[in-house]
Amino acid sequence: MSIEKPIRVVVAGPRGRMGSETVRMIAGRSDFVLAAACDHGHDGEKVQDLLGIPELNARVYSDIEACLTEVRPDVLVDFTHPEAGKRNLQAAIDYGVRSVIGTSGFTNDDVAGFKEQMERKHLGGIIAPNFAIGAVLVMKFSQMAAKYFPDVEIIELHHDRKKDAPSGTAVKTAELIETSRRPKRQGAPDEKETLKGARGADVDGMRIHSVRLPGLIAHQEVLFGGKGELLTLRHDSMDRTSFMTGVAYAAQTVMRLDTLVYGLENILD
């Protein structure tokens, strides 16, 4: 009986909140092995010294191309920032490495361009704004509900260190809602903001509101209003471990894909 080899993973952004949690997840599983990490300014160090995890002696590289050339991993997991994430994904494509990208800031044109390249090389990859299974289910349920409740507002709440607003999760939720909801202007016909931005961002008439406060991690509430009723869909991540089931599932799934998928909901059974 043959035993499958563990998936060899490189993590870009290992000192970040999501990157460090991913490293710890890999350390606790037998089906993954941390092949290396990529972190600007720490070339030649060991992950165990960088994060204080004794059993991880994988090397840290500052150059993604040198890392992929020398290590030859199966999968790159990236939790960096938009510019680095796009650069790292391009390097992964160039070196034939499958990818799991949790970095936000990819436009539809970006995704289309990377997808075309990856299909030519039969490479699997996933870009996901959220890896929490519950959050993804809220997106899917919102898409279903919008067919019957076209009046909807999205409130996303995150920690005060998050740089983008609205969140990628909120944007993805709105995109899914758009597929089953006709554009509709909400609120009073003569509505007027006495403070600019009070009604939030406008997406085909629905509204998105962003909250940034210390103490929060990642939360989203989708409110649907109807005659005499209110439907509320909410998900709360109180700890970043909530994202790791999705990250692990994505890293396993890209090994079987030959294209780039945008959104974890597209690979859930």
Side-chain angles (χ1 to χ4, degrees):
M1 180 178 177
S2 63
I3 299 176
E4 291 189 9
K5 294 181 179 179
I7 297 170
R8 302 178 71 251
V9 182
V10 164
V11 175
R15 288 181 299 132
R17 292 177 176 87
M18 285 294 292
S20 61
E21 199 63 54
T22 300
V23 169
R24 291 183 174 87
M25 179 271 290
I26 292 171
R29 296 178 61 124
S30 60
D31 52 345
F32 295 117
V33 62
L34 184 69
C38 195
D39 189 299
H40 180 70
H42 292 271
D43 190 60
E45 296 185 30
K46 299 293 184 180
V47 174
Q48 59 187 6
D49 300 323
L50 200 65
L51 298 181
I53 305 176
E55 64 270 25
L56 293 178
N57 62 357
R59 178 183 165 175
V60 180
Y61 291 78
S62 62
D63 182 85
I64 186 64
E65 294 191 2
C67 177
L68 298 182
T69 299
E70 295 180 21
V71 175
R72 298 186 178 278
D74 300 307
V75 176
L76 168 70
V77 176
D78 183 281
F79 285 106
T80 54
H81 57 81
E83 287 186 10
K86 293 172 188 178
R87 184 169 61 249
N88 292 343
L89 176 53
Q90 185 61 62
I93 295 171
D94 293 341
Y95 287 88
V97 177
R98 297 169 187 274
S99 51
V100 174
I101 310 295
T103 303
S104 59
F106 284 76
T107 66
N108 291 334
D109 288 341
D110 290 333
V111 174
F114 287 123
K115 183 175 182 178
E116 182 181 357
Q117 293 184 64
M118 293 171 76
E119 287 181 345
R120 285 202 302 266
K121 290 194 168 188
H122 304 288
L123 278 177
I126 292 171
I127 298 175
N130 200 314
F131 286 93
I133 302 299
V136 175
L137 290 175
V138 166
M139 294 182 202
K140 292 175 73 72
F141 296 157
S142 296
Q143 183 182 28
M144 294 168 59
K147 180 179 179 180
Y148 307 98
F149 294 90
D151 290 276
V152 53
E153 305 220 357
I154 300 170
I155 305 170
E156 56 94 353
L157 309 92
H158 284 80
H159 55 88
D160 58 343
R161 300 293 296 276
K162 185 171 179 60
K163 297 179 181 180
D164 57 320
S167 67
T169 300
V171 172
K172 181 63 173 176
T173 302
E175 289 174 350
L176 289 173
I177 287 173
E178 283 182 296
T179 65
S180 55
R181 171 189 179 271
R182 291 183 178 179
K184 178 184 178 183
R185 177 182 170 83
Q186 297 177 181
D190 56 350
E191 179 182 81
K192 180 181 179 181
E193 287 183 329
T194 56
L195 288 176
K196 185 177 176 60
R199 289 289 290 119
D202 187 325
V203 181
D204 278 347
M206 73 178 107
R207 298 289 178 161
I208 302 179
H209 309 268
S210 296
V211 177
R212 299 290 177 267
L213 288 172
L216 296 171
I217 298 294
H219 318 260
Q220 179 164 280
E221 190 168 78
V222 187
L223 304 173
F224 294 91
K227 293 183 178 180
E229 61 179 324
L230 179 70
L231 173 63
T232 302
L233 301 175
R234 183 177 175 110
H235 177 263
D236 299 276
S237 284
M238 276 72 74
D239 192 283
R240 288 177 178 82
T241 55
S242 65
F243 304 113
M244 291 303 106
T245 299
V247 173
Y249 183 72
Q252 293 167 334
T253 302
V254 293
M255 299 299 294
R256 305 190 298 271
L257 296 177
D258 58 6
T259 187
L260 176 63
V261 173
Y262 177 53
L264 196 66
E265 72 280 357
N266 293 308
I267 63 168
L268 292 180
D269 295 331

